[in-house]
Amino acid sequence: MIQIHQFPCLSDNYGFLVHDPASGETTCIDTPDGKEYLKQAEGKGWTISHIWNTHWHPDHAGGNEEIKAATGCTVIGPAEVEKIAAPDIIIKHGDTVSLGAFTGDVIDVGGHTDGHIAIHIAEAGIAFVGDAVFALGCGRMFEGTPDQFWASLERIKALPPETTLYCAHEYTQANAKFALHADPGNSALADYAAEIDRKRAQEVPT
Ligand code: ZN
Ligand code: FE
């Protein structure tokens, strides 16, 4: 089965390396920090074969050049990533990517930026959603419109309910603070917020 290695990067990003033991292929999900990705891959004994970018922001594509120079990997991402470093392969909604025998479906989740994509690997029950959605919140709407962003969130919502979403930042505590402000009488929310505080006190990802 597919293996996922998650690690903190920069101030509040998460790095993800996704490894398929059968083929030996390993893809970076975004590249907030090239050096950290190379170090983490070496620590796992994995050789990076691909980069999959969700969107063009520097905390998601800023490490592309360094990782490609070190590994010769293939960079795959939406056209907008050209603002940072041109991908080898451009992907858009409806395309697929592969990691060994696994197929990832590319889903348009524009709104945080234009040309923001998510990748859903149905067989593994996982999706990498970048900055489109977070626990208790969504990404800041920099380039898109409310209608566009809502349609994107609906596409994520339409994924099978058992899908694990991998969000690209640790924002849950701040989102919980806002949620409690907006919905102060919600006891389930208060319990969840307390659980988040406990996890963050131990530096556990939420
Ligand atoms: Zn972003
Ligand atoms: Fe980001």
Side-chain angles (χ1 to χ4, degrees):
M1 202 33 167
I2 239 167
Q3 295 175 294
I4 301 168
H5 175 51
Q6 175 171 347
F7 48 93
C9 255
L10 306 179
S11 59
D12 54 26
N13 282 76
Y14 282 120
F16 304 102
L17 287 165
V18 185
H19 179 70
D20 168 42
S23 64
E25 290 189 337
T26 302
T27 191
C28 304
I29 307 298
D30 288 327
T31 61
D33 181 336
K35 272 182 194 58
E36 187 62 26
Y37 268 66
L38 292 168
K39 192 180 103 186
Q40 295 285 338
E42 197 185 328
K44 297 297 284 184
W46 296 347
T47 303
I48 293 170
S49 54
H50 298 83
I51 292 170
W52 296 348
N53 290 126
T54 61
H55 64 295
W56 70 266
H57 281 162
D59 65 312
H60 296 262
N64 281 13
E65 279 182 346
E66 188 174 3
I67 296 170
K68 185 171 172 73
T71 63
C73 67
T74 303
V75 183
I76 303 175
E80 286 80 355
V81 171
E82 282 174 1
K83 292 178 195 183
I84 300 289
D88 300 308
I89 299 171
I90 304 278
I91 46 171
K92 57 177 187 339
H93 186 79
D95 290 342
T96 58
V97 290
S98 16
L99 188 74
F102 289 92
T103 299
D105 294 305
V106 178
I107 303 167
D108 171 18
V109 293
H112 171 69
T113 65
D114 284 328
H116 188 316
I117 54 103
I119 295 177
H120 175 223
I121 305 177
E123 205 185 332
I126 58 177
F128 297 95
V129 295
D131 290 354
V133 72
F134 299 100
L136 292 177
C138 68
R140 193 184 298 185
M141 195 171 64
F142 283 112
E143 296 176 354
T145 66
D147 287 349
Q148 177 191 7
F149 211 153
W150 183 249
S152 296
L153 295 174
E154 291 279 11
R155 281 190 284 273
I156 293 169
K157 210 173 146 194
L159 295 175
E162 65 275 15
T163 309
T164 301
L165 304 182
Y166 288 83
C167 317
H169 290 267
E170 179 59 58
Y171 284 165
T172 317
Q173 232 168 358
N175 288 344
K177 207 172 152 194
F178 176 78
L180 284 167
H181 172 76
D183 192 5
N186 186 331
S187 64
L189 177 61
D191 290 349
Y192 183 35
E195 185 197 328
I196 291 158
D197 288 343
R198 277 195 299 276
K199 283 186 171 167
R200 291 314 296 153
Q202 296 164 2
E203 291 177 21
V204 173
T206 60

